[in-house]
Amino acid sequence: MNFDLYFFNLINQFAGKWQWLDLSAIFFAKYFEYILLFYLLLFLAKNSKKYWVMVKEGLLTAIFARFIIGEIIYKIWFRQRPFVNKSAHLLLPNYNPQEASFPSGHALFYFALSTIIYNYNKKAGILLYIGSFLIVIARVFVGVHWPLDIIAGAILGIVTGLLLNKLFKMIKFLNKQAVDK
């Protein structure tokens, strides 16, 4: 048995067994992301001048990871979602089987975002990483992603965050040098 199928079955086997667990997984897979985005807004409400750059860079990086890198990979390599040909317990009805599964767009977005935020504020970044993990593991639980989809998305998101963080720092340094001249 391959890694992906083994761990998918290990996680997804509990879907449909307990209503409280199913509802929790659906909440994390579908709605929790809005709480993470609201969390970013709280930083702006607290001190927009101090946190504007952090939030802006975080969202730009997350959007780049999901909608540029993710879309390129989707065009190159299509991977079906686990519920299409397997006996997965799908908890999100009406999910489009024509959408690519690899890599997880949620993992790309939220792990890239978490990486940028972590570079500005360690505590907030750790909370976002935990929230990101809850989102992506729930997406396996509800039957819409394979474990390798979320692992690849998380790794690509983190790498994108690290690279763009270096780019943002270099741009700030160059702008500072230009102003100082």
Side-chain angles (χ1 to χ4, degrees):
M1 181 178 280
N2 72 28
F3 168 88
D4 230 9
L5 183 58
Y6 175 77
F7 282 101
F8 176 80
N9 288 333
L10 189 67
I11 297 166
N12 185 252
Q13 72 179 329
F14 297 106
K17 300 232 188 262
W18 301 286
Q19 185 178 14
W20 67 269
L21 189 57
D22 290 351
L23 292 174
S24 297
I26 291 168
F27 170 77
F28 282 106
K30 197 170 180 180
Y31 302 109
F32 189 67
E33 64 184 300
Y34 301 112
I35 292 173
L36 293 186
L37 293 174
F38 180 74
Y39 180 61
L40 289 181
L41 290 177
L42 291 178
F43 278 98
L44 293 177
K46 180 179 177 184
N47 186 341
S48 63
K49 193 172 191 175
K50 179 179 178 182
Y51 293 113
W52 168 246
V53 173
M54 175 186 80
V55 172
K56 177 184 73 170
E57 288 178 5
L59 290 174
L60 284 173
T61 301
I63 290 167
F64 179 80
R66 167 58 185 93
F67 295 105
I68 304 297
I69 294 172
E71 291 299 321
I72 289 170
I73 294 170
Y74 297 153
K75 301 285 187 233
I76 295 170
W77 187 47
F78 178 83
R79 183 179 193 199
Q80 287 188 326
R81 295 193 177 267
F83 65 84
V84 174
N85 290 326
K86 305 292 182 214
S87 58
H89 300 285
L90 180 62
L91 298 180
L92 294 177
N94 303 323
Y95 213 88
N96 185 356
Q98 300 304 315
E99 288 182 359
S101 180
F102 182 89
S104 164
H106 283 80
L108 280 165
F109 188 94
Y110 286 101
F111 278 90
L113 176 65
S114 299
T115 302
I116 294 293
I117 300 304
Y118 182 83
N119 285 309
Y120 279 95
N121 184 314
K122 304 290 186 235
K123 289 180 185 177
I126 289 169
L127 287 175
L128 279 170
Y129 275 126
I130 292 168
S132 299
F133 175 77
L134 291 171
I135 289 170
V136 298
I137 200 72
R139 294 185 65 75
V140 174
F141 184 94
V142 300
V144 296
H145 276 295
W146 296 100
L148 285 178
D149 299 342
I150 63 169
I151 291 169
I155 290 169
L156 285 170
I158 290 168
V159 168
T160 301
L162 292 171
L163 292 174
L164 287 183
N165 183 58
K166 287 188 184 299
L167 178 65
F168 293 140
K169 284 182 180 181
M170 186 172 46
I171 290 169
K172 287 176 196 167
F173 176 77
L174 292 174
N175 284 341
K176 186 176 181 329
Q177 293 297 319
V179 170
D180 290 343
K181 286 186 177 183

